[in-house]
Amino acid sequence: MSDTALPGNLRVRPNMADLLGLLAIMAAAVVLATAGRHMLVPIPASEAGTIHLSPAWLPAYAVRTTLRMFAALAASLVFTFTYAVWAAKSRRAAQVLVPLLDILQSVPILGFLTFTVVFFLGLFPGRMVGAELAAIFTIFTSQAWNMAFAMYQALRTVPPDLEEAARCFGLTPWQRFWRLEVPFAIPSLVWNTMISMSGGWFMVVYSETITVGNTDIALPGIGSYVGVAIEQRNMAAIFYAIIAMLAVITIYDQLLFRPLVAWSARFSTDDGASVAAPDPWVLTLLRRTHLLRQFCLRLGETMTRIGWLAIGPRPSRPVRALVPSRLLDGAWVLALSICALTIGWKTWTFGSSHYTVAQVLHVIGLGGITLLRVMGTVVVASLIWVPLGIWLGLSPRRARHAQMAAQFMAAFPANLFFPLVVIGIVHWHLNNNIWLTPLMLLGTQWYILFNIVAGASSYPGDLLEAARNFHVKGWLWWRRIMLPGIMPYFITGALTASGGAWNAAIATEVASWGDTTLSAQGLGAYIAHATVAGATDLVGLGMAVMAAFVLLLNRVLWRPLSNYAARHYTFD
C-alpha cells in the first residue's frame, strides 16, 4: 500500500484501523443516502404503509428512528448555540427568551403536532419528507429545551477569576466565547445532550405515529412499531422492541457518547482529585489509525485557528455607546409593553369568542390536578434518587457503571409500561387517577438522578477529606456537607424534571392497551383527547393553561430557589 501525502510534508501509511474506519464511514454514507431517498417518495397508501411486527423488520426501523433522533439532535445543537447564547449574552433579550423557553418546555408533544403536522405536510404535499420533518421537529421539541437551559446556565456561571483572566489576556468577545465560555460549558452540555437523547426516546412513539384529526401517518421506526404492538396487544413484539432499543442505545453510547464524555473531561474545572477514567475503546482505536488521526488533528487545528480570530473589540479599548443605556432600557420596556398589550388584546378577543368562563375554569381546575401530580412525582423522585445519586456520584467507578443503565432506563417510552399498568388497573379495579400517576415518574426521575450524580461527582475532594478528618458523619454530614454542596444541581434537576413531568402528562394520563383505554382527570388527558379529535381551539386552550401553570410555578418556586442556591451554596 503506497504512502499518502498530507499537508506539512507529513507522510503516513494507512493501516488496518484506517481501513475499518473508512468502511464505517462508507456504511454510514450509504445509510444516509438510503434514508434520504425514502424521504422523497410519495406518502404510501394504507396497505403499503403498514408497520410489520416481524423482528426481521426491526433493524431497518431502528436505523430510521436513530437517523431521526440525530437529525433532531443536530437541530437542537444549532438552536442551543444561537438561542441560549443570545439569552445569556443580552440582558434585554433574556427578559423575553428565558420565559419563552419556560413556555416551550411546558408545551406537550401533541400540542406541537397539532399545528406542525399541517404546516410540514403543506410544505411538501403528498411527500413523505413532510411527515419526516414533522417527526424530526417533534423529537427536537423533546431535546432542545434541556440543552438550551444547560448552555444558558453554564454561560451565566463562568467563574469570575476565569473572566478576569480573559480580560487580562485581552481576548475579544469571539475569542472569549470559543476559548473560555464554550470549553467551560462543554461538560454540562455533553451530559445534558445524553439526557436529551433519552428524552427523545421517551416521546418517539408520538413522533412516529402521527394522529391529528383526519391525519393518520405511521412512519417506519421503533416508535410506530411499539404503537402497533400496543394496539394489537402483542407482548412478543414489545419484547423485540425493547431488545432493539437496548442494542441501538448501546451502539451510539459506545461510538459517540463515551468518547464525548472522555473528551469533555479535559475541560473540567475540577482540581484533579477525581480518578481519571480509562479511555473508551473508540478513542483508543482512533489513536491507532494514521489517516483518520491526522485528519482529526488537522480539523482540530483549523477549529483552533477559527476560535482565535480577533473578531470584536479588545477589552482595553473603550467603547462609547451611541445611545445612553437608560434610553435603550426605556425603549425596550416600551416595546415589550406594546407587544404584551397587543398579544393580550388578541388573546382576549379570540378567547371571548371561542370559550366560555365555565370552560376556562374547568381547564384551570384540570391543570391544578396535574400540578398536584407533577409536584408529587418530583418529591417522590427526589426522595429516591438524591441519596442514590450521591452514592453513585461520589465514586467515579460506580458513576461510570451506572451511566449506561440510567441512560437506557431514561430512554424507555412510557408506552412500554402501559400493558402492565392497564392490565393491573383493570384486574384489580383500581382508581385511574391514582395508579396512572406513577407513570409520570418515567419522565421526571432521570433528570434528578443525572444532575445529582453530576453534582456529587464535581464535589471538591479536599472538603470531603476535611469532613473525614473531623469525623463528620450521619445526619450532620448530610445537612452541613453534602446537601448544601449539591443543592444547585438538585434545583436544576428538579426544575427540568418539573418541565418533563408536565410534558409527560400527555403520555401518562391516557394509557391504552389494545381496545382498552384508561384516562385520568388532568390537563394532559384533556389535551390528548382534543388532539385526537382535531379540536385545535381546545388544544390551544389546554396549551395556554399549561404554559401559565409552568410559568407561575417557575417564577414562584423554582427560580427563587435557584437564585438562593446560587447565592448561598456555590463554591467560589
Side-chain angles (χ1 to χ4, degrees):
M1 190 176 293
S2 61
D3 292 347
T4 302
L6 290 175
N9 296 324
L10 179 64
R11 301 178 69 86
V12 297
R13 184 184 298 275
N15 57 12
M16 185 59 66
D18 283 303
L19 180 60
L20 293 176
L22 291 174
L23 288 176
I25 293 174
M26 292 175 61
V30 171
V31 169
L32 289 174
T34 304
R37 179 173 58 85
H38 284 298
M39 290 179 64
L40 298 177
V41 301
I43 295 178
S46 57
E47 295 81 6
T50 301
I51 301 300
H52 303 275
L53 295 185
S54 171
W57 290 82
L58 268 176
Y61 291 163
V63 170
R64 298 285 293 273
T65 296
T66 305
L67 290 179
R68 294 185 191 106
M69 296 281 289
F70 279 99
L73 185 65
S76 299
L77 285 173
V78 173
F79 177 83
T80 298
F81 275 86
T82 52
Y83 190 100
V85 173
W86 188 18
K89 294 292 185 179
S90 174
R91 174 178 55 86
R92 298 185 184 95
Q95 296 173 354
V96 177
L97 297 181
V98 175
L100 183 59
L101 198 60
D102 288 334
I103 295 175
L104 291 173
Q105 186 185 24
S106 67
V107 175
I109 295 295
L110 292 185
F112 284 110
L113 272 177
T114 304
F115 303 99
T116 58
V117 168
V118 177
F119 172 75
F120 285 113
L121 291 180
L123 285 180
F124 305 94
R127 295 286 173 178
M128 285 293 292
V129 63
E132 291 281 358
L133 290 178
I136 291 172
F137 182 82
T138 304
I139 300 173
F140 164 85
T141 60
S142 63
Q143 295 177 344
W145 322 135
N146 180 58
M147 295 169 61
F149 267 124
M151 188 71 173
Y152 173 78
Q153 294 292 345
L155 294 180
R156 298 283 292 176
T157 57
V158 176
D161 53 346
L162 296 182
E163 292 277 9
E164 182 63 28
R167 283 191 293 269
C168 293
F169 282 109
L171 299 184
T172 66
W174 176 267
Q175 293 171 336
R176 185 172 65 250
F177 177 71
W178 289 110
R179 306 305 299 169
L180 170 63
E181 295 168 344
V182 170
F184 178 79
I186 278 177
S188 174
L189 183 60
V190 169
W191 191 253
N192 281 276
T193 299
M194 297 169 61
I195 301 176
S196 295
M197 281 292 288
S198 299
W201 279 106
F202 188 82
M203 292 296 181
V204 72
V205 175
Y206 298 95
S207 65
E208 294 181 349
T209 305
I210 301 173
T211 302
V212 179
N214 296 324
T215 303
D216 192 355
I217 301 174
L219 297 173
I222 294 182
S224 55
Y225 183 93
V226 171
V228 173
I230 291 174
E231 183 180 349
Q232 297 183 8
R233 298 192 177 193
N234 193 326
M235 290 295 296
I238 291 179
F239 176 75
Y240 296 145
I242 293 174
I243 298 300
M245 287 180 56
L246 175 61
V248 170
I249 294 171
T250 302
I251 290 172
Y252 73 64
D253 177 77
Q254 293 292 321
L255 296 180
L256 180 64
F257 284 127
R258 291 296 177 95
L260 279 178
V261 169
W263 172 74
S264 67
R266 64 188 297 185
F267 302 106
S268 176
T269 57
D270 194 8
D271 56 5
S274 59
V275 180
D279 287 337
W281 65 270
V282 173
L283 286 182
T284 303
L285 181 64
L286 181 61
R287 293 190 181 103
R288 291 177 180 175
T289 63
H290 291 166
L291 286 176
L292 294 179
R293 183 180 60 184
Q294 292 300 325
F295 174 78
C296 293
L297 290 175
R298 295 296 184 266
L299 181 62
E301 292 173 359
T302 302
M303 299 301 294
T304 300
R305 293 192 186 98
I306 294 175
W308 277 115
L309 293 176
I311 301 176
R314 298 285 181 181
S316 58
R317 183 183 303 173
V319 179
R320 293 185 177 181
L322 299 178
V323 181
S325 179
R326 290 186 178 180
L327 184 59
L328 286 177
D329 289 339
W332 178 250
V333 171
L334 178 61
L336 290 182
S337 301
I338 294 174
C339 291
L341 290 175
T342 303
I343 294 173
W345 172 253
K346 293 292 185 181
T347 303
W348 173 262
T349 303
F350 179 83
S352 60
S353 61
H354 286 76
Y355 313 115
T356 64
V357 175
Q359 192 176 14
V360 173
L361 292 178
H362 172 68
V363 176
I364 292 176
L366 294 178
I369 296 174
T370 301
L371 173 63
L372 294 178
R373 289 197 181 95
V374 168
M375 298 308 297
T377 52
V378 170
V379 170
V380 172
S382 302
L383 294 176
I384 295 173
W385 292 112
V386 167
L388 288 178
I390 291 174
W391 180 75
L392 292 172
L394 290 179
S395 170
R397 181 178 59 84
R398 287 196 298 263
R400 289 195 301 270
H401 290 323
Q403 174 185 334
M404 179 60 191
Q407 184 182 349
F408 176 64
M409 292 302 298
F412 261 70
N415 309 63
L416 294 178
F417 296 92
F418 284 178
L420 298 177
V421 174
V422 173
I423 292 173
I425 291 176
V426 172
H427 180 74
W428 284 293
H429 305 285
L430 302 175
N431 190 321
N432 298 345
N433 294 313
I434 297 175
W435 293 100
L436 285 178
T437 303
L439 287 174
M440 195 177 286
L441 276 172
L442 301 174
T444 60
Q445 58 187 353
W446 309 115
Y447 294 99
I448 295 176
L449 173 62
F450 280 129
N451 280 276
I452 294 299
V453 171
S457 300
S458 62
Y459 199 98
D462 52 353
L463 293 183
L464 292 175
E465 184 64 28
R468 283 191 293 267
N469 292 336
F470 284 106
H471 302 287
V472 180
K473 299 179 181 179
W475 174 241
L476 182 63
W477 181 84
W478 286 93
R479 185 166 56 92
R480 293 294 187 182
I481 304 297
M482 184 50 62
L483 291 181
I486 56 99
M487 187 58 65
Y489 295 88
F490 169 72
I491 297 299
T492 301
L495 190 153
T496 53
S498 174
W502 281 103
N503 212 328
I506 201 76
T508 56
E509 291 185 349
V510 178
S512 298
W513 176 237
D515 297 331
T516 304
T517 300
L518 303 179
S519 296
Q521 281 190 316
L523 193 53
Y526 177 86
I527 296 175
H529 294 314
T531 301
V532 173
T536 55
D537 54 340
L538 300 183
V539 173
L541 176 60
M543 291 168 59
V545 172
M546 183 174 286
F549 268 99
V550 173
L551 277 178
L552 183 63
L553 187 63
N554 287 347
R555 295 304 170 188
V556 173
L557 179 63
W558 298 124
R559 294 302 178 189
L561 285 178
S562 179
N563 294 333
Y564 181 83
R567 290 194 306 267
H568 295 84
Y569 299 120
T570 55
F571 300 106
D572 295 328

